[in-house]
Amino acid sequence: MLPRIDGSVLPAVGGFGRHQKQLVVLTWIPALFIGFSQFSDYFLLAQPNGTCVQAAGNNSNWTGPFPLNGTTGEGEPLCACREWRLELQTGLSQNVVTKWKLVCDSAWKVHIAKFSLLVGSIFGYLVMGVMADWFGRHPVLILSLLFMLVFGLSVAFSANVTVFSTLRFFEGFCLAGLALCLYVLRIELCLPGWRFSMTMVASFLMVGGQLLMPGVAALCRHWPDWDDWQVLQIVIISPFVLMLPYIWLLPESLRWLLATQHYRRSKAMMLRIARRNQVDMATESSGVLAELEQELHRKPQRTCIVKMMSTRNLWKNIVVLCVNSLTGYGIHHCFARSMVDPEARPTALCHADYYTMAGIAVATCLALCPAVGLMGRRGGLLTFMIVTALASLLQLGLLNLIGKYSLRHDAVLRDTLNRKFSVAFSIIGMFSSHAVSTLSIFFCAEITPTVIRGGGLGLVLASAGFGMLTAPIMELHNQKGYFLHHVIFACCTLLCIICLLLLPEPRGQPLPESLADGETFTRQTLLHPGEQHLLLAKSDGEYSRVHDTPLHLSATGGATV
């Protein structure tokens, strides 16, 4: 009964009782703080409006947002100005860009600073995921928390932009470990019927952090002895101090202890959980505790994510979800850029665009709940991926057809219709691509076995990080190749639609615990379940006589049909 944690162990200690619900609430609270940190770049590294106070040579004074190509609208070199007055319209009066004058020839340092947090997060997901499988969720969570406080607060005291970027890398590394461990702990605490709803509450809180971030930035203005951006960085990192009691309040995952055969620690934790859920294990009739007593002599067995490569089905499922999360976040940037009016002033519409993206994220979370409830994980993911592909293809193809065939003589009406259709398809695409990314991450957490869940989820989250990394890369290249970038991701959506049909449906199913459980967790076929199990159980050696078919035997005279 020990391998059947959802079916035997958790019901024996009270199911999803009061104690488990309290622990899930503890995993929700940091989601708000993580949302603050993940969206801090919009304020710490926002581009300012520049006013040329003293022009160089024959150049006239110029006021406006800094264009990426370094020239004014008349083609004059913007960076020839001798003295600038920089102004922000994002809630702060000073940030990293205005502090160290990261404009013109130094503008590339802003993109490096944006890279640093994302690249740190990518490495953090990969490394901390493996460590969570090897050493446990709780030690990695506490280690990430302590270093998050150290590096996050150190960012506020950076001496220059190089130090700022370096410390942001380590901040992203620790933030990734923190988010991953909380996600895994939340999944492993819940019974099958509660997993998705508990995860979506955390998603709502993270989006809440995104919505509250402009207000937090506005409260950090005009401090007498500190720069605004320093105050903002301290404010978004300081709440993590509230997680220090988690060292004692949040225990190790019971599911991970049982899956890795830490039976002595599992026994003590089961007794504690049962006591807090007011369940008397002495009168418990399922026999779980008695079976656990017989297995106390076993030594712990840990598994690395590398062993996934020896499986037949599990690695394919994880690769499909990695491509899904990469495509979802990558094409999300394409839609976001298409939605912004190229003729509008970027800084003037910063808050409007920011709240639009946050509103779309809220709408996505609201739509995911009934969609997944009706269609399941695989059906919901497939539906949102089809919508993403249609929005992308229509935006790339339909707009050109409107201009080429329908309104070739009315340029004004053609441009107006193109703009309206582009915004409409962008909003739909951002909505569906955000749903694809969120659901791909949750899907991976459900189908990956407990012994390698941290590593598998780390791979999918790192792939999502690569998708988000395409946004600063395109900005660094001055949006060159943007159309090809969108076409490539549109093709990836079509590939993902085909691959999604290979995934299983985990709704209502117990979480797989070992690699063998994950290997038999396959999609439903037209075959009878018993026949499917027999086919999966066959080894390669059993197919050695595949040539002895009736047709082959009849051809050789050895047998007849």
Side-chain angles (χ1 to χ4, degrees), residues 50-167:
T51 301
C52 183
V53 178
Q54 183 179 359
N58 296 325
N59 294 329
S60 59
N61 291 354
W62 184 86
T63 302
F66 281 92
L68 295 175
N69 56 8
T71 60
T72 65
E74 290 78 16
E76 298 178 357
L78 179 60
C79 299
C81 185
R82 294 179 181 177
E83 184 179 352
W84 289 103
R85 185 173 69 250
L86 304 178
E87 298 178 357
L88 289 170
Q89 298 183 5
T90 57
L92 298 177
S93 60
Q94 187 182 45
N95 69 352
V96 174
V97 180
T98 59
K99 170 72 173 179
W100 291 303
K101 302 293 190 297
L102 303 181
V103 295
C104 298
D105 294 338
S106 300
W108 61 273
K109 297 179 181 179
V110 178
H111 303 296
I112 299 301
K114 290 181 180 180
F115 290 159
S116 58
L117 187 71
L118 284 174
V119 174
S121 298
I122 292 171
F123 281 98
Y125 287 132
L126 296 174
V127 175
M128 292 301 190
V130 175
M131 291 180 63
D133 291 332
W134 198 258
F135 299 104
R137 284 65 163 121
H138 185 262
V140 176
L141 175 68
I142 301 304
L143 186 69
S144 301
L145 171 62
L146 295 177
F147 281 103
M148 176 71 182
L149 290 171
V150 172
F151 289 114
L153 294 176
S154 299
V155 169
F157 303 96
S158 302
N160 51 55
V161 68
T162 303
V163 177
F164 176 86
S165 300
T166 304
L167 292 174

Side-chain angles (χ1 to χ4, degrees), residues 77 125 152 157 168 183 305 341 351 372-373 386 408 441 462 465-466 482 513:
Y125 287 132
F157 303 96
R168 289 280 282 180
Y183 201 106
I305 187 64
D341 189 354
H351 278 316
V372 173
I386 291 173
R408 65 180 69 180
I441 295 169
F466 277 112
Y482 160 75
E513 308 299 339

Side-chain angles (χ1 to χ4, degrees), residues 379-444:
L381 186 57
L382 183 62
T383 300
F384 285 116
M385 183 59 79
I386 291 173
V387 174
T388 304
L390 289 175
S392 179
L393 294 175
L394 289 174
Q395 189 179 48
L396 291 172
L398 180 63
L399 301 183
N400 292 329
L401 291 177
I402 291 175
K404 187 175 181 180
Y405 296 106
S406 301
L407 301 169
R408 65 180 69 180
H409 301 299
D410 193 342
V412 176
L413 181 59
R414 178 186 61 199
D415 294 341
T416 302
L417 284 178
N418 280 351
R419 180 62 194 158
K420 290 182 178 180
F421 275 114
S422 179
V423 171
F425 289 139
S426 296
I427 293 175
I428 295 172
M430 290 175 66
F431 169 83
S432 57
S433 61
H434 191 275
V436 165
S437 306
T438 303
L439 201 50
S440 297
I441 295 169
F442 177 74
F443 207 126
C444 177

Side-chain angles (χ1 to χ4, degrees), residues 5 43 67 133 153 165 245 251 270 286 312 321 356 363 365 378 394 407 451 477 525 560:
I5 297 174
F43 304 91
D133 291 332
L153 294 176
S165 300
M270 287 173 62
S286 65
R312 295 177 57 186
L321 293 173
T356 300
C365 294
R378 184 176 63 174
L394 289 174
L407 301 169
V451 292
H477 287 81
T525 66
T560 61

